[in-house]
Amino acid sequence: MPLIENGRLIEDRYVVPADEDALPDGVPLLIPAERFLKEAEALKGRQAPVAVLWPNNRRIEEIEPYLGQLSLIALQFPSFRDGRAYSQARLLRERLGWRGPLRATGNVLRDQFIFMLRAGFDQLDAAKEDDAAHFAEEVGSHSVFYQPTGDGRPSILRARLGRVAAHGTTN
C-alpha cells in the first residue's frame, strides 16, 4: 500500500516480520502488539527502530510503559465503520503525550483523511497512489475547525478567545 506522510508518498522503511520468523537485525521493524509485548525487554537493545502495530480492540494505555522505546505507532482500522483507532490516537496524543509518528493502517479511506489528521495521525496507509494528491487537496480545504483535537491546531473558539485576550476586544 502507498504510504502518505505530510501530503507526499514516501517509502515505508519498516519490515513486518511474520509471527514465527526471527527478527532481522539492522532494519526498522513494525511488530504486532502481541509479539511486541512478549518481546519488549529483548527489543530494548536493538540498534534499529522498533514500531508497534496496535489493534483497535486493545486498551491503548497498555502501551504507555513502552513509549520511550518506540519509533512509530501504527493504529488499525479494520473497517471504515469502526472508529476506535480515532479514540486511541487522541488518547496517545493528548493524554499519554506521544509526539512520535502515528500511522493509520487498514481500511483507510479518502473520505476520512481529514478526520484522521485531526485525530493526530501523521501517516496514512492509502489504498491507491493517487490518494496522495487527494490528501494534499483535503488538507488545504479547511483552514479552521470547531472541534479541538490531537493535531495541535487550535479550534476557532480557542483562536477567537486568544484574539480577545490579546486585544481586549472581539472586533
Side-chain angles (χ1 to χ4, degrees):
M1 287 184 137
L3 184 61
I4 300 171
E5 181 178 71
N6 300 322
R8 295 185 319 272
L9 287 174
I10 63 166
E11 181 181 341
D12 188 358
R13 59 191 190 106
Y14 287 87
V15 173
V16 181
D19 285 339
E20 64 280 350
D21 290 351
L23 298 178
D25 289 328
V27 297
L29 295 177
L30 179 58
I31 303 172
E34 196 76 29
R35 184 169 186 180
F36 174 79
L37 292 172
K38 283 182 196 167
E39 301 179 29
E41 199 57 41
L43 290 168
K44 280 184 181 177
R46 279 188 57 83
Q47 297 302 307
V50 175
V52 67
L53 180 61
W54 201 263
N56 72 349
N57 62 355
R58 191 169 196 136
R59 289 179 38 87
I60 200 67
E61 292 82 5
E62 289 181 67
I63 204 171
E64 187 173 15
Y66 309 102
L67 291 177
Q69 74 186 86
L70 293 171
S71 60
L72 174 132
I73 299 172
L75 300 178
Q76 295 177 309
F77 286 86
S79 163
F80 72 91
R81 293 178 289 176
D82 188 339
R84 291 178 285 181
Y86 289 111
S87 299
Q88 290 176 319
R90 292 215 40 204
L91 288 169
L92 276 166
R93 294 287 192 209
E94 297 169 20
R95 199 173 288 167
L96 301 180
W98 174 253
R99 296 290 167 247
L102 190 56
R103 180 183 297 184
T105 189
N107 202 334
V108 176
L109 303 177
R110 281 182 177 191
D111 293 347
Q112 297 172 328
F113 283 177
I114 196 73
F115 301 114
M116 291 178 178
L117 289 174
R118 293 290 292 152
F121 289 99
D122 321 281
Q123 297 180 355
L124 308 169
D125 264 336
K128 298 177 266 183
E129 286 196 21
D130 68 338
D131 282 346
H134 180 76
F135 174 87
E137 180 182 307
E138 184 72 22
V139 169
S141 69
H142 299 81
S143 59
V144 294
F145 296 92
Y146 287 106
Q147 303 85 3
T149 61
D151 69 354
R153 290 191 279 181
S155 67
I156 196 165
L157 174 64
R158 287 281 157 228
R160 179 176 266 175
L161 290 174
R163 197 172 30 219
V164 169
H167 301 292
T169 179
T170 59
N171 294 23

